[in-house]
């Protein structure tokens, strides 16, 4: 029995969906614990491409149960559309393999309207670049205790705006905290899947340029109702370079041909909004910060193959802030905005890694790059992904 959390260590889009998909075959239950349809992940199975926003990618395995936990905010229409899309493609979606927490909050039309209006009202330089899906205002309503939870669908009289969804959603709504804790007592393997990433965490990210929930490991406990002592492993997923969508500081951002190369080679366009992602070199300070605040036990590197053609690679090992060299992430956004990256440079491998299936098959320069990341972050690298397909993953036997 293992209870494992999978978190993003950067600004989201690290490829958590693929990692959840890889682990789902050995997992009884996959739980989404925060965020909403601001997230998006793409899972490629053979010739098939699945784009999911709310339902964990475990849904592609008929024997894996997916739970949308109490920490998630749900747009009922988007959820039903996603369920229909999956069914239309032959994927089983029934109350047996999809369960929705009665305590998850509902995104209402007013929340979406407020999200768009607030963003439009923000002056240049203060815009957050939200996905416009109503996420922030729904969490505001939750915290100010005026929100509407999924349990509303189980009542006789519900707001007119929600009535049309009631019959379709009711069979899926359960007390997920009870369900998950009973599953734990039955020694099930449980995977808690975070959306977004550590640097978008409302407490531990680049506030205020963050999302409105806690993608970090603590949020997995709050957002699922599984207590901290029940967690065995926390896996941090990290891209072999860095990306960010939306506004906010990003010290290793590239504005040159290397940045354009990473965007094109990595297909760095948002799954949810289609926006071009900002691209940059690997920032070890960011991932070291993620290792701390999540208590990472393992690190998973994704998209190593995107670096295959580059002759030289840079890794940020420190910041220069107003002439001082700093080895840790400053919490003050003003300082972070002025941080200039100090790089160490490594040779590229300029060989194709997409067919490699073991560490010994990787080019020696790629192994050096991976070893350097592990040394800088201080967490063992358990898995390396070298392409979008399920087969393109190298597991280190430990
Ligand atoms: P919100 O979550 O829509 O309020 O957006 C707040 C910030 O988080 C914006 O910069 C978004 O671009 C970013 N964001 C939200 N969800 C994701 C995601 O799944 N991947 C990457 N960035 C995201």
């Amino acid at each position: 029995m293992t209870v494992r959390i999978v978190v993003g260590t950067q600004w989201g889009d690290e490829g958590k969906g693929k990692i959840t998909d890889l682990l789902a075959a050995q997992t009884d239950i996959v739980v989404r614990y925060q965020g909403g349809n601001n997230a998006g992940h793409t899972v490629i199975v053979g010739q098939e491409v699945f784009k999911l926003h709310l339902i964990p990618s475990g849904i592609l395995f008929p024997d894996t149960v997916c739970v949308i936990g109490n920490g998630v905010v749900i747009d009922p229409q988007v959820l039903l559309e996603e369920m229909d899309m999956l069914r239309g493609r032959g994927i089983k979606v029934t109350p047996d393999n999809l369960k929705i927490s009665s305590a998850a909050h509902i995104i209402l039309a007013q929340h979406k309207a407020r999200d768009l209006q607030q963003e439009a009202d923000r002056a240049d330089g203060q815009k957050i670049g939200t996905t416009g899906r109503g996420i922030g205002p729904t969490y505001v309503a939750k915290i100010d205790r005026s929100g509407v939870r999924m349990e509303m669908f189980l009542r006789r009289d519900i707001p007119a705006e929600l009535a049309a969804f009631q019959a379709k959603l009711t069979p899926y709504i359960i007390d997920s905290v009870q369900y998950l804790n009973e599953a734990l007592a039955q020694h099930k393997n449980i995977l808690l899947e975070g959306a977004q990433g550590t640097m978008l965490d409302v407490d531990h990210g680049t506030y205020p340029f963050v999302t409105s929930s806690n993608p970090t490991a603590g949020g997995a406990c709050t957002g699922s109702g599984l207590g901290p002592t029940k967690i065995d492993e926390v896996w941090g997923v990290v891209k072999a370079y860095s990306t960010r969508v939306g506004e906010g500081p990003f010290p290793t951002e590239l504005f040159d041909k290397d940045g354009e190369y990473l965007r094109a080679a990595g297909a760095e366009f948002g799954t949810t909004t289609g926006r071009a992602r900002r691209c940059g070199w690997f920032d070890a300070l960011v991932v070291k910060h993620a290792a701390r605040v999540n208590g990472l036990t393992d690190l998973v590197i994704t998209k190593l193959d995107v670096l295959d053609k580059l002759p030289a690679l840079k890794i940020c090992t420190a910041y220069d802030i107003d002439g001082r060299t700093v080895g840790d992430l400053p919490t003050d956004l003003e300082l972070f905005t002025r941080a200039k990256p100090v790089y160490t440079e490594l040779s590229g491998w300029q060989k194709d890694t997409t067919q490699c299936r073991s560490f010994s098959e990787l080019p020696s320069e790629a192994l050096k790059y991976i070893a350097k990341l592990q040394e800088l972050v201080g967490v063992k690298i358990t898995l390396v992904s070298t392409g979008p397909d399920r087969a393109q993953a190298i597991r280190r036997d430990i």
Side-chain angles (χ1 to χ4, degrees):
M1 180 193 82
T2 309
V3 181
R4 183 183 285 143
I5 301 175
V6 174
V7 293
T9 59
Q10 296 156 312
W11 282 277
D13 309 312
E14 297 91 352
K16 295 177 294 294
K18 174 179 172 178
I19 304 310
T20 304
D21 176 70
L22 272 180
L23 297 171
Q26 319 139 28
T27 303
D28 299 301
I29 303 171
V30 181
V31 189
R32 231 331 259 285
Y33 59 81
Q34 47 67 235
N37 59 310
N38 48 350
H41 47 250
T42 306
V43 183
I44 300 182
V45 187
Q47 301 300 311
E48 295 240 46
V49 180
F50 292 92
K51 288 188 189 294
L52 297 167
H53 298 282
L54 264 174
I55 302 178
S57 44
I59 202 75
L60 304 178
F61 294 82
D63 298 327
T64 304
V65 175
C66 288
V67 176
I68 299 182
N70 56 276
V72 176
V73 290
I74 299 176
D75 183 326
Q77 180 157 352
V78 171
L79 175 58
L80 284 168
E81 280 170 10
E82 199 159 298
M83 289 161 70
D84 283 345
M85 179 276 291
L86 287 165
R87 278 198 208 100
R89 296 180 63 181
I91 306 295
K92 174 177 136 185
V93 185
T94 71
D96 288 339
N97 71 332
L98 176 66
K99 299 180 190 290
I100 304 165
S101 169
S102 57
H105 278 250
I106 303 174
I107 302 176
L108 300 172
Q110 54 171 292
H111 300 136
K112 285 184 267 190
R114 199 167 308 144
D115 193 2
L116 294 170
Q117 190 58 51
Q118 283 177 333
E119 188 67 2
D121 289 347
R122 286 184 185 109
D124 281 350
Q126 283 166 16
K127 290 194 191 298
I128 292 167
T130 76
T131 59
R133 303 295 193 265
I135 308 298
T138 307
Y139 279 114
V140 167
K142 170 177 174 170
I143 300 302
D144 83 6
R145 294 152 294 178
S146 64
V148 181
R149 313 206 296 181
M150 291 299 284
E151 64 204 7
M152 182 63 82
F153 286 113
L154 306 177
R155 299 187 184 152
R156 211 171 310 145
D157 297 314
I158 69 171
E161 173 185 349
L162 300 176
F165 310 118
Q166 187 173 29
K168 285 189 175 167
L169 284 176
T170 303
Y172 295 86
I173 300 171
I174 62 159
D175 177 344
S176 60
V177 175
Q178 187 182 354
Y179 175 80
L180 290 172
N181 280 281
E182 278 175 8
L184 206 61
Q186 291 161 18
H187 307 293
K188 302 282 190 201
N189 287 317
I190 301 178
L191 192 156
L192 300 159
E193 181 192 61
Q196 291 90 40
T198 301
M199 297 299 280
L200 290 174
D201 187 284
V202 68
D203 284 85
H204 300 294
T206 52
Y207 189 90
F209 299 99
V210 290
T211 193
S212 303
S213 63
N214 289 112
T216 46
C221 296
T222 319
S224 68
L226 290 173
T229 54
K230 308 297 180 200
I231 309 298
D232 300 300
E233 297 174 3
V234 184
W235 285 30
V237 184
V238 58
K239 222 179 264 197
Y241 49 97
S242 308
T243 62
R244 172 165 204 170
V245 257
E247 305 304 319
F250 178 6
T252 63
E253 183 168 12
L254 290 167
F255 300 95
D256 59 6
K257 63 174 182 16
D258 284 335
E260 280 163 32
Y261 175 81
L262 290 172
R263 189 172 308 112
E268 296 295 354
F269 297 90
T271 311
T272 299
T273 57
R275 287 181 288 180
R277 295 180 185 140
R278 301 156 65 192
C279 296
W281 296 118
F282 188 95
D283 187 334
L285 280 70
V286 162
V287 188
K288 215 165 66 172
H289 170 70
R292 280 183 183 163
V293 298
N294 291 294
L296 296 184
T297 58
D298 298 74
L299 206 58
V300 177
I301 312 278
T302 59
K303 292 192 145 183
L304 186 74
D305 57 299
V306 172
L307 306 180
D308 280 357
K309 293 198 173 121
L310 291 169
L313 305 168
K314 288 183 184 168
I315 299 174
C316 172
T317 55
Y319 296 146
D320 177 316
I321 303 179
D322 304 335
R324 271 189 324 121
T325 305
V326 175
D328 286 309
L329 216 63
T331 49
D332 183 341
L333 192 79
E334 289 234 329
L335 292 180
F336 193 49
T337 307
R338 295 207 295 276
K340 294 196 177 53
V342 177
Y343 287 119
T344 184
E345 196 166 315
L346 274 72
S347 315
W349 42 95
Q350 297 188 281
K351 291 189 185 85
D352 180 17
T353 59
T354 59
Q355 304 306 318
C356 297
R357 296 292 178 268
S358 68
F359 273 80
S360 59
E361 289 173 39
L362 284 171
S364 62
E365 294 86 353
L367 287 171
K368 276 192 202 132
Y369 187 74
I370 293 170
K372 190 73 185 167
L373 301 191
Q374 177 164 297
E375 176 201 319
L376 289 168
V377 179
V379 177
K380 72 172 184 293
I381 294 171
T382 299
L383 196 72
V384 175
S385 164
T386 60
D389 200 81
R390 269 183 193 160
Q392 292 169 306
I394 305 172
R395 177 102 194 230
R396 177 177 285 175
D397 295 321
I398 347 155

